[in-house]
Amino acid sequence: MADANPTKKLHPRNRHLDNYNFDELSKIEPSLKDFVTVNAYKLKTIDFNNPDAVKVLNQALLKKYYHIQHWDIPKENLCPPIPGRADYIHYVADVLARDNNGEIPKGGKVRLLDIGVGASCIYPIIGHQEYGWSFVGSEIIKKHIKTQLKLRVPM
């Protein structure tokens, strides 16, 4: 598993169930090559304690799986792990399906509020790209709002 805890199982619909293919991701985001190393088990990995490495990995994942060509956050912000955040979105989808005859509601008619959306805007990105949901995000930190305005999310 790509997660620091290999016993943790990701949601079955999570696009990140398999190990990261660092060769493929490095082609998508060439700067990722600078962070890829080989561990004691002869597997390619990155230092998940290095926020710069995690940020570049996120950029590659967002390009590959969510069609986001430009994503950045201020250096002082924590970098959200994409697989874990995707899990939350899939579990929200499961909860919404319970009140929709077991079917996950999709499209812009599903509207969610992300309180404290932050600079990463990660939940709206994943929720929109996975299910077409519409999000309203609230944020009080002006620097985060400016960062969000630079995002280009394909519709």
Side-chain angles (χ1 to χ4, degrees):
M1 298 291 305
D3 195 308
N5 178 358
T7 61
K8 181 184 173 218
K9 300 287 186 216
L10 293 173
H11 191 283
R13 287 191 306 276
N14 195 317
R15 296 175 189 236
H16 312 287
L17 290 171
D18 298 324
N19 291 333
Y20 296 127
N21 183 333
F22 286 105
D23 291 333
E24 185 178 305
L25 291 169
S26 292
K27 288 177 185 170
I28 293 166
E29 182 57 55
S31 61
L32 182 60
K33 289 178 191 173
D34 297 337
F35 298 101
V36 176
T37 60
V38 177
N39 66 16
Y41 302 101
K42 307 247 189 273
L43 298 173
K44 290 186 178 180
T45 189
I46 63 168
D47 177 0
F48 286 93
N49 292 315
N50 178 343
D52 293 330
V54 175
K55 181 176 168 180
V56 173
L57 174 61
N58 275 358
Q59 289 168 332
L61 293 173
L62 288 168
K63 283 180 181 179
K64 177 175 174 52
Y65 295 105
Y66 303 100
H67 314 290
I68 304 298
Q69 295 306 306
H70 176 77
W71 179 86
D72 200 6
I73 57 173
K75 192 158 184 75
E76 65 271 9
N77 286 73
L78 293 175
C79 193
I82 302 291
R85 297 311 189 263
D87 253 22
Y88 293 137
I89 291 294
H90 292 301
Y91 284 112
V92 167
D94 291 346
V95 169
L96 294 175
R98 289 183 195 151
D99 290 335
N100 196 40
N101 299 317
E103 188 173 325
I104 295 170
K106 296 182 179 177
K109 290 184 180 180
V110 178
R111 296 183 180 158
L112 291 96
L113 173 62
D114 186 351
I115 299 170
V117 71
S120 71
C121 205
I122 205 66
Y123 291 116
I125 289 171
I126 295 171
H128 178 75
Q129 294 303 93
E130 289 288 354
Y131 300 108
W133 295 341
S134 174
F135 283 77
V136 172
S138 68
E139 183 55 65
I140 61 170
I141 299 173
K142 290 180 184 179
K143 187 174 186 177
H144 292 180
I145 295 167
K146 289 178 183 176
T147 302
Q148 294 162 9
L149 293 175
K150 294 177 187 174
L151 287 173
R152 300 279 187 266
V153 180
M155 302 292 179

